[in-house]
Amino acid sequence: MRDYKLVFTGPMGVGKTTAIAAISETAPISTEVANADASVAKATTTVGLDFGQVTLDNGDRLRLYGTPGQARFDFVWKILVRDALGLAILIDNSRPDPLADLAVYLDGFAGALEKMPCTLGVSRLPTHPSPTLDDYAHALAQRGLVLPMLAVDPRRKDDVIALIETLLMQIEVLDEEVAP
Ligand SMILES: Nc1nc2c(ncn2[C@@H]2O[C@H](COP(=O)(O)OP(=O)(O)OP(=O)(O)O)[C@@H](O)[C@H]2O)c(=O)[nH]1
Ligand SMILES: [Mg+2]
């Protein structure tokens, strides 16, 4: 039985807390406080972490951590990602400048990106089709990065599972490279 620690990050309101609550089989742990940031219309925001757990069919266990979105908590980002095996960056396409948001998290998690697989999930694409996934691929390529990318609705369990599966697949490939 294996234990995988995965981290979800991304801007405020993208749905990190929502995604973990959508798939956790135990009551998710969250650290929400009233949201004082008027630029994002929601009642609460994460100030510590989210935590949820999922058991896979083969008995492997996933431990899922969500970061706070706000960059003033970037010290928490570093703590949460420390011994993770994979990172999911979620970007909200309805925000004013999603590619700038992506840059914030690529910079904030630059160290982690060198060490662990990462997947990019883009939410609200159906209602906000620009930037396209091609635009994201281009922005990543400018930094020499190639990441799996998919459209996600964090409220949908199947979408969150698809996101996690792309991480698990990459982790397996790395394992095989280390121990052929
Ligand atoms: N309509 C719509 N709502 C969405 C979609 N994705 C997320 N949401 C909503 O957006 C909100 C996201 O809130 P949270 O899950 O608290 O976001 P978060 O990323 O944890 O935010 P912080 O902790 O503040 O950084 C929830 O109310 C979701 O229901 C989407 O694709 N469409
Ligand atoms: Mg949250």
Side-chain angles (χ1 to χ4, degrees), residues 13 16 20 23 25 27 37 39 49 61 84 88-89 97 105 113 117 120 124 130 148 157 167 170 177 179-180:
K16 303 172 294 293
I20 289 174
I23 63 163
E25 63 201 15
D37 181 342
S39 71
L49 55 82
R61 250 217 336 253
I89 299 179
D97 191 347
Y105 294 89
L113 287 166
L120 176 63
R124 295 178 164 99
S130 178
K157 189 173 178 175
L167 282 176
Q170 294 178 80
E177 283 171 2

Side-chain angles (χ1 to χ4, degrees), residues 138-153:
H138 186 69
L140 290 168
Q142 283 182 332
R143 291 171 170 253
L145 290 170
V146 179
L147 303 181
M149 298 179 300
L150 62 170
V152 293
D153 182 332

Side-chain angles (χ1 to χ4, degrees), residues 12-176:
M12 205 181 151
V14 68
K16 303 172 294 293
T17 300
T18 302
I20 289 174
I23 63 163
S24 183
E25 63 201 15
T26 51
I29 294 169
S30 56
T31 53
E32 301 288 289
V33 301
N35 172 30
D37 181 342
S39 71
V40 180
K42 65 187 187 107
T44 65
T45 186
T46 304
V47 291
L49 55 82
D50 302 299
F51 177 69
Q53 291 189 85
V54 177
T55 310
L56 302 179
D57 290 342
N58 64 4
D60 287 352
R61 250 217 336 253
L62 307 181
R63 288 180 292 125
L64 307 172
Y65 287 82
T67 72
Q70 298 177 55
R72 67 191 168 109
F73 295 116
D74 61 357
F75 63 96
V76 183
W77 300 355
K78 292 187 173 50
I79 295 167
L80 288 182
V81 83
R82 204 172 279 155
D83 54 352
L85 292 178
L87 175 69
I89 299 179
L90 297 174
I91 295 295
D92 177 351
N93 239 32
S94 73
R95 281 173 50 92
D97 191 347
L99 291 174
D101 289 339
L102 176 64
V104 167
Y105 294 89
L106 292 177
D107 288 341
F109 287 88
L113 287 166
E114 286 172 13
K115 291 193 212 106
M116 68 189 71
C118 178
T119 293
L120 176 63
V122 180
S123 76
R124 295 178 164 99
L125 256 173
T127 49
H128 298 79
S130 178
T132 63
L133 290 183
D134 276 351
D135 296 330
Y136 283 103
H138 186 69
L140 290 168
Q142 283 182 332
R143 291 171 170 253
L145 290 170
V146 179
L147 303 181
M149 298 179 300
L150 62 170
V152 293
D153 182 332
R155 299 167 301 177
R156 289 181 45 114
K157 189 173 178 175
D158 288 353
D159 285 16
V160 183
I161 288 172
L163 188 74
I164 287 172
E165 277 175 350
T166 63
L167 282 176
L168 294 180
M169 279 187 281
Q170 294 178 80
I171 293 167
E172 261 172 41
V173 171
L174 282 182
D175 283 355
E176 281 164 21

